[in-house]
Amino acid sequence: MNIKQVGYFVAVFETKSFTAAAHQRNVTVQAISKSISELEQFFNVQLFERGNSGVKPTQAGRSFYAKARLAVEAYREVENFDPSGCDLTVSSASGPQTMPELSIGLCAPALDNEDKLYKGLSALIMRSVSVRVKFCTVHPGVAQQQLEEGGLDALLTVGTYEHTNDDCEQLGTLPTGIVVAADHPLGKRPFVTVADLSSYPVGQSAAFDSFNNSIFWQYKSSGVLGETRVIDSPAQFGSFLVAERGFFLNAILPVPGQIASGFEIVPIVGEGALTVPVCLVSLKDENPKPITS
């Protein structure tokens, strides 16, 4: 088994077709079919049911996908390793390259197509200021330390963040939604309501939902959530969504690239639907002045 075979498996699972997966990966259908067969021989289990209308994952295939997707994402991160520690620097449309630079830590899980997300966030920040923004995805466990040690100029949080050393400036609010597997019963709906939330288990991130007043806690305090599952590691993320039919609460950002392939984000609308503040967090008396417009 190798990472290429695992990548082909993920492509077949997400496209539901050997042909579409081959087109996505720019290889032959025979190469895809051979890799899937080799994986099935390796595990001695059938991963897909083949039919005239395409392929359908077996229970074993669904369970394997939860781990395979993480493996492919981890390998992609290794391939794209940036020794500077930050992922993207975006300059405003006007202004010389000598303009000031800000390093902002985004306190959110790693996402597919992060470059598009960072560009969108940078555009929001740089509407009327001349500044270069360097975004890093930062884990909550080290976010405050990096801020205090000067590794980051500011943090960007979805939900308010309170710390005695910091100021939290609200930049605006975002609507909220749920993240589900693409084949989840709610995944193809144009929207869900608050009444739908108690019908399926909701994930609570051990890391991110203990960091600030997140979307999870805002809905939890409203008493509209059902069974809660604490997710301790990234390895549990896919399994919870795919195998257990769970969901996570998430902000709906006005930029592409906000959610991983194979999953959907469905907006929450109607009575009781909440918006969540987006906050720029900086050390007291050290607010990054170029952000203020």
Side-chain angles (χ1 to χ4, degrees):
M1 180 175 61
N2 56 54
I3 192 63
K4 182 180 290 185
Q5 292 172 327
V6 176
Y8 290 170
F9 166 84
V10 170
V12 172
F13 187 99
E14 293 176 352
T15 63
K16 299 180 176 62
S17 165
F18 280 21
T19 301
H23 179 73
Q24 181 189 96
R25 295 296 176 131
N26 197 29
V27 297
T28 65
V29 175
Q30 290 76 13
I32 295 288
S33 179
K34 182 174 182 292
S35 290
I36 299 302
S37 295
E38 289 173 347
L39 283 174
E40 291 178 328
Q41 292 173 14
F42 181 85
F43 291 112
N44 193 29
V45 68
Q46 185 177 358
L47 298 174
F48 293 104
E49 295 177 358
R50 283 80 162 170
N52 294 332
S53 59
V55 296
K56 180 180 179 181
T58 63
Q59 182 58 47
R62 291 170 61 86
S63 297
F64 181 56
Y65 173 75
K67 298 182 181 298
R69 185 185 66 83
L70 292 172
V72 171
E73 290 177 355
Y75 185 78
R76 186 186 303 129
E77 288 181 7
V78 172
E79 280 190 314
N80 297 329
F81 172 67
D82 180 352
S84 72
C86 290
D87 302 280
L88 183 74
T89 299
V90 182
S91 301
S92 61
S94 61
Q97 291 299 307
T98 56
M99 59 188 168
E101 179 179 277
L102 293 178
S103 293
I104 298 179
L106 177 61
C107 300
L111 305 171
D112 280 3
N113 300 321
E114 283 183 333
D115 58 335
K116 295 180 181 178
L117 172 62
Y118 293 156
K119 287 176 182 177
L121 291 174
S122 296
L124 292 176
I125 291 175
M126 300 186 302
R127 283 175 175 171
S128 58
V129 296
S130 294
V131 63
R132 300 174 69 227
V133 177
K134 177 173 283 189
F135 269 105
C136 306
T137 299
V138 60
H139 191 277
V142 297
Q144 183 64 36
Q145 179 182 354
Q146 290 194 26
L147 187 63
E148 293 179 355
E149 292 180 352
L152 294 171
D153 295 307
L155 305 175
L156 196 65
T157 65
V158 179
T160 55
Y161 173 66
E162 296 182 4
H163 192 281
T164 55
N165 295 339
D166 301 337
D167 287 322
C168 185
E169 177 185 356
Q170 183 172 322
L171 301 180
T173 60
L174 291 172
T176 54
I178 61 171
V179 177
V180 293
D183 60 351
H184 189 283
L186 300 178
K188 299 303 180 184
R189 291 175 54 174
F191 62 85
V192 296
T193 67
V194 169
D196 296 316
L197 301 182
S198 61
S199 301
Y200 298 92
V202 57
Q204 175 188 350
S205 169
F208 293 94
D209 289 320
S210 61
F211 177 69
N212 69 329
N213 185 25
S214 67
I215 303 171
F216 170 83
W217 289 116
Q218 293 187 46
Y219 276 102
K220 183 73 172 178
S221 64
S222 298
V224 298
L225 302 180
E227 176 189 355
T228 298
R229 284 283 309 280
V230 177
I231 305 302
D232 295 313
S233 68
Q236 295 178 305
F237 175 86
S239 177
F240 175 67
L241 293 180
V242 175
E244 300 183 45
R245 286 291 190 260
F247 70 90
F248 285 94
L249 291 155
N250 200 69
I252 299 180
L253 300 170
V255 294
Q258 62 175 308
I259 193 65
S261 55
F263 301 94
E264 301 287 346
I265 181 164
V266 185
I268 303 171
V269 303
E271 184 178 357
L274 303 178
T275 58
V276 62
V278 177
C279 296
L280 187 72
V281 178
S282 58
L283 295 178
K284 289 184 182 298
D285 302 322
E286 295 185 17
N287 290 0
K289 301 301 183 184
I291 291 295
T292 305
S293 57

